[in-house]
Amino acid sequence: MSRVTSSGLWRVAVVALLVLSTTAIGVRHAAAVLWGTDDAMTLKVNGIQYRVLHAEQVSGLSDADLGGMSHGVNSLVTTDQALVRVTLDVGADKDSRFDTSVLRALAGTVPIDPVPGSMERGTLRRGGHLEGALSYVVPRNGAQLRLTAPGQDPVPLLRVDVAGTAAEHGHGTSGPPSTTAIPLPSTTVTRQVTP
């Protein structure tokens, strides 16, 4: 009969510890998937989950596009600003009302409200989902844009370009591709899916 050495026992203990750790991490991940928690791209507010699907810098309406008649236009984008569209999946664990006005963009430390007319508020049934987009007019200052809600860690969106880097402001001009944006189609149709 062979004797088990202390180094052999040590190896068995290390392997057992690795197997137990991996199992615990797997169980935690499975629980997060099943119950929708701990997702770095999701903000949870009052039982509603706002999951970021895509973010992109797009051209907005400029003063020239409107022939100089830009007073009171919600999505007016000046040459020192950018329009960022954030596509979201809104989900509910129970029958709930949602209000996307709690979602603010952060370009630095200043919170920015979504442009009026974007997806705003409504009701979702338990297990229901709604897909739509919010738009934000943000400064073109090269900042890392983040999405935030009260009491939540911010979700990284994209880095906004710097004013003056594009040849001219107009349709079809956008900033550099984001390294943090999720590559999904930019056009979305608002829809509600119920179980």
Side-chain angles (χ1 to χ4, degrees):
M1 198 172 210
S2 65
R3 293 179 47 189
V4 177
T5 64
S6 62
S7 65
L9 207 52
W10 176 251
R11 287 184 190 136
V12 170
V14 168
V15 169
L17 182 61
L18 287 173
V19 169
L20 288 174
S21 298
T22 304
T23 303
I25 291 170
V27 168
R28 183 172 181 256
H29 177 70
V33 169
L34 288 173
W35 291 290
T37 59
D38 294 329
D39 181 354
M41 297 305 287
T42 300
L43 297 168
K44 289 184 84 172
V45 181
N46 299 327
I48 298 290
Q49 299 167 11
Y50 301 93
R51 177 163 171 65
V52 174
L53 300 176
H54 183 70
E56 66 180 329
Q57 184 174 319
V58 297
S59 297
L61 291 173
S62 69
D63 191 46
D65 293 331
L66 299 170
M69 298 180 5
S70 57
H71 181 72
V73 175
N74 291 328
S75 58
L76 180 68
V77 180
T78 61
T79 57
D80 62 339
Q81 297 175 321
L83 183 67
V84 174
R85 182 175 38 220
V86 180
T87 306
L88 299 168
D89 177 76
V90 182
D93 295 334
K94 59 182 180 179
D95 291 358
S96 302
R97 293 193 51 75
F98 69 90
D99 183 0
T100 59
S101 68
V102 301
L103 303 177
R104 305 275 190 319
L106 290 175
T109 58
V110 178
I112 301 166
D113 292 329
V115 172
S118 299
M119 178 175 59
E120 293 177 357
R121 60 184 61 90
T123 304
L124 282 175
R125 297 180 134 205
R126 179 178 176 239
H129 289 267
L130 176 73
E131 187 177 302
L134 295 177
S135 296
Y136 296 89
V137 177
V138 301
R140 291 176 61 197
N141 59 5
Q144 172 65 47
L145 191 66
R146 297 164 292 148
L147 190 66
T148 188
Q152 299 289 303
D153 289 331
V155 170
L157 296 176
L158 53 83
R159 186 164 300 281
V160 180
D161 70 4
V162 178
T165 57
E168 65 180 75
H169 182 78
H171 290 288
T173 306
S174 64
S178 168
T179 56
T180 57
I182 301 169
L184 295 176
S186 62
T187 39
T188 57
V189 177
T190 302
R191 67 178 190 267
Q192 182 169 347
V193 181
T194 54

